[in-house]
Amino acid sequence: MASPCTAPFMGGALAYAFTAPMLSALLVFLALGIGLALPFLAIGFVPAVARLLPKPGRWMETLKQVLAFPMYLTAAWLVWVLANQRGADAVGLVLVAMVLLAMTLWWFERSRSRGAISKLAVAVLALATLVPMSLLSRVPPPSAAARVADGVVPYSATKLAALRAAGTPVFVDMTADWCVTCKANEHTVLDTAAFRALLERTGAVYMQGDWTDVDPAISAFLAQYHSPGVPLYVVFPKDGGPGRQLSTVLTASMVDARH
């Protein structure tokens, strides 16, 4: 079982399962599996439930086409993530690939009743679509310094240890551009004036680790706190005590209480 972001619904259950005894972990995954399969199980054990389902008809074709638009929005969101990972050059390559793909599909429809030459043109266009995608691996990522916002310290195990040794409280935020929960927490709590005022009042340092491109150092930090993914928020007090892990869904009162 996998998802690009484990929070907010599965995060707590999976974090517990990865650290629990084997029997407890198996029970957690069994419960998750039953939950996913519940609609099918209900119809299988109680056939009368199937009568509640809408009758097949032309509406199914319309629904299938309507559901394509959320997929288009997902593609647009992933291009935004790519822009943060690789910059404008990478986005340009993806846009070229999209145009070539549209051209391939357009000509495929027109060549259904035509000869072998038209079908060969479809194959050539399809292969051409792969060219800009293959060039993506050659686009270097922007420098880490360019991606860090003002007042945010990039995560480093060495820097974190130095701050803790100096008695400085630290708020560690492990995030990723593709994590919707991370972005929601940033919008509601971490990017607000109240949070910045809290950092200033307590003298805390806001340290952020970007896991958009999987970083082994951040992966090690996640493993240290038995977190299967991001977001992960850990508050290190100034007295040198152990870090206190916060919930994956933040509130202003929760953060204020931990400081």
Side-chain angles (χ1 to χ4, degrees), residues 1 22 86 93 109-110 112 140 148 198 224 250 256:
M1 180 185 298
M22 182 180 297
R86 291 293 185 269
L93 288 171
E109 286 295 322
R110 291 178 62 89
R112 284 180 181 271
V148 176
L198 175 64
Q224 179 183 348
L250 292 180
D256 199 353

Side-chain angles (χ1 to χ4, degrees), residues 15 30-31 33 41 53 82 91 109 118 134 141 160-161 172 179 196 200 202 240 247:
L30 178 63
L41 292 175
L53 297 176
L82 180 65
V91 173
E109 286 295 322
S118 292
S134 66
L160 176 60
V172 175
C179 174
R196 290 190 292 271
E200 185 175 352
T202 58
S247 171

Side-chain angles (χ1 to χ4, degrees), residues 54-66:
K55 302 299 181 183
R58 294 183 60 186
W59 67 268
M60 299 175 68
E61 183 67 22
T62 302
L63 178 62
K64 181 183 73 174
Q65 296 174 2
V66 168

Side-chain angles (χ1 to χ4, degrees), residues 11-259:
L14 290 179
Y16 169 77
F18 282 124
T19 58
M22 182 180 297
L23 179 59
S24 298
L26 287 175
L27 289 175
V28 169
F29 285 105
L30 178 63
L32 289 171
I34 291 175
L36 290 171
L38 189 58
F40 302 98
L41 292 175
I43 293 174
F45 286 104
V46 187
V49 174
R51 299 195 191 102
L52 301 176
L53 297 176
K55 302 299 181 183
R58 294 183 60 186
W59 67 268
M60 299 175 68
E61 183 67 22
T62 302
L63 178 62
K64 181 183 73 174
Q65 296 174 2
V66 168
L67 291 177
F69 292 95
M71 299 302 294
Y72 293 150
L73 290 174
T74 301
W77 168 57
L78 291 174
V79 170
W80 173 81
V81 172
L82 180 65
N84 289 334
Q85 289 181 296
R86 291 293 185 269
D89 290 344
V91 173
L93 288 171
V94 171
L95 292 177
V96 170
M98 287 180 174
V99 172
L100 290 173
L101 178 60
M103 188 182 299
T104 303
L105 296 174
W106 168 72
W107 190 250
F108 174 75
E109 286 295 322
R110 291 178 62 89
S111 65
R112 284 180 181 271
S113 58
R114 301 192 181 189
I117 295 179
S118 292
K119 292 180 173 57
L120 178 61
V122 171
V124 171
L125 284 171
L127 290 174
T129 303
L130 300 177
V131 174
M133 300 304 293
S134 66
L135 295 175
L136 278 176
S137 60
R138 303 183 183 181
V139 179
S143 64
R147 300 183 57 183
V148 176
D150 292 339
V152 179
V153 176
Y155 171 76
S156 163
T158 303
K159 181 66 174 177
L160 176 60
L163 289 171
R164 299 202 66 199
T168 303
V170 184
F171 183 97
V172 175
D173 166 19
M174 294 301 183
T175 183
D177 285 334
W178 38 257
C179 174
V180 177
T181 306
C182 302
K183 295 304 175 185
N185 288 334
E186 290 171 12
H187 177 72
T188 58
V189 178
L190 303 178
D191 288 344
T192 63
F195 180 72
R196 290 190 292 271
L198 175 64
L199 293 175
E200 185 175 352
R201 185 173 72 249
T202 58
V205 170
Y206 180 26
M207 178 173 285
Q208 187 178 79
D210 189 347
W211 207 44
T212 303
D213 285 329
V214 176
D215 185 331
I218 296 176
S219 298
F221 187 88
L222 296 175
Q224 179 183 348
Y225 286 90
H226 309 291
S227 176
V230 292
L232 172 64
Y233 306 104
V234 182
V235 176
F236 294 95
K238 62 182 178 180
D239 60 9
R244 297 190 294 268
Q245 185 173 343
L246 304 186
S247 171
T248 54
V249 179
L250 292 180
T251 63
S253 59
M254 179 194 305
V255 174
D256 199 353
R258 286 298 183 178
H259 277 75

